[in-house]
């Protein structure tokens, strides 16, 4: 069976990836900080789908957690989903700089290090895929969060170009850029989402379906949902100041 390695695997988009890939016959390595919740998630997937689901408790904001994840991802992983992430409670200057640096470590350093660790084995085997979960915020003005997700897009495109000739198309790297998705992400960040209209919300299972389809097609930047394809397209032609005003306020009220 192929093996998928998923960070941030106990909730939201990560949990949706785990369910979908288990149903497709993948064995799983699941990474998250909460060991008890991780074991429950792994046990549920083993029972429902009769696959191997290996829990790997690791905090990717720490040296030890990153080293453990790097070590495991080097071993026979066919699909890496770099999904771990979070939002800070507040806007820049209202958030301690230590929290901003932790965000950069999880959103950027962990993505870089795990991608770097997994690709040699994939290239040797001539097959494999990496999905780096970014955000539609990468194309907007969203403080450190948006900046970190813009880095993920640029990094993923650069790596995809670097390995294209070496892999003969058998190894693919893609940035996934969903908009607002109904998960626990916003509650955990203390965000009041009451000003976000219903049409802007995506279903996490639809996001995963789009991601896996686009990865098979060799898409480098996947944007789920026609509404977000249109919004991102418009953002490229509208005045930057207008885009900044709109994107820096929508969904950014904190409780």
């Amino acid at each position: 069976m192929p093996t998928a390695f998923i960070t941030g695997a106990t909730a939201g988009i990560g949990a949706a990836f785990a369910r979908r890939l288990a149903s497709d016959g993948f064995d799983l390595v699941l990474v998250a900080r909460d060991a008890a919740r991780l074991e429950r998630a792994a046990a549920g997937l083993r029972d429902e789908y009769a696959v191997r689901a290996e829990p790997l408790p690791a905090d990717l904001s720490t040296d030890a957690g990153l080293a453990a994840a790097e070590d495991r991802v080097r071993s026979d992983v066919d699909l890496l989903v770099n999904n771990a992430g979070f939002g800070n409670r507040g806007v820049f200057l209202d958030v301690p700089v230590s929290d901003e640096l932790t965000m950069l470590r999880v959103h950027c350093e962990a993505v870089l290090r795990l991608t770097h660790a997994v690709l040699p084995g994939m290239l040797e085997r001539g097959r494999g895929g990496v999905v780096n979960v970014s955000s539609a915020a990468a194309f907007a003005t969203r403080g450190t969060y948006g900046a970190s997700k813009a880095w993920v897009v640029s990094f993923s495109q650069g790596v995809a170009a670097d390995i294209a000739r070496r892999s003969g198309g058998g190894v693919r790297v893609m940035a996934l850029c969903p908009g607002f998705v109904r998960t626990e992400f916003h509650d955990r960040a203390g965000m009041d989402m009451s000003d976000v209209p219903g049409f802007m919300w995506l279903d996490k299972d639809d996001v995963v379906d789009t991601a896996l389809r686009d990865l098979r097609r060799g898409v480098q930047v996947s944007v789920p949902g026609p509404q977000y394809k249109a919004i991102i397209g418009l953002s490229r032609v509208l005045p930057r100041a207008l885009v900044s005003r709109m994107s820096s306020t929508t969904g950014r009220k904190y409780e």
Side-chain angles (χ1 to χ4, degrees), residues 82-164:
N82 275 313
N83 169 74
F86 63 94
N88 280 324
R89 189 183 294 261
V91 298
F92 194 68
L93 293 187
D94 294 338
V95 176
V97 72
S98 59
D99 292 351
E100 300 278 42
L101 290 170
T102 298
M103 174 176 283
L104 291 178
R105 188 160 216 207
V106 174
H107 289 185
C108 301
E109 183 179 347
V111 168
L112 184 153
R113 288 174 61 172
L114 295 184
T115 301
H116 190 276
V118 81
L119 281 176
M122 290 182 175
L123 289 169
E124 183 177 344
R125 294 186 296 273
R127 67 182 188 280
V130 177
V131 177
N132 292 326
V133 179
S134 178
S135 170
F139 307 95
T141 303
R142 309 285 290 189
T144 302
Y145 181 85
S148 69
K149 293 302 186 178
W151 181 90
V152 171
V153 172
S154 181
F155 169 75
S156 300
Q157 289 180 296
V159 174
D162 287 344
I163 68 169

Side-chain angles (χ1 to χ4, degrees), residues 68-81:
E70 278 180 305
D71 184 62
R72 179 60 185 86
V73 82
R74 290 189 177 98
S75 176
D76 296 330
V77 168
D78 301 281
L79 176 63
L80 167 63
V81 181

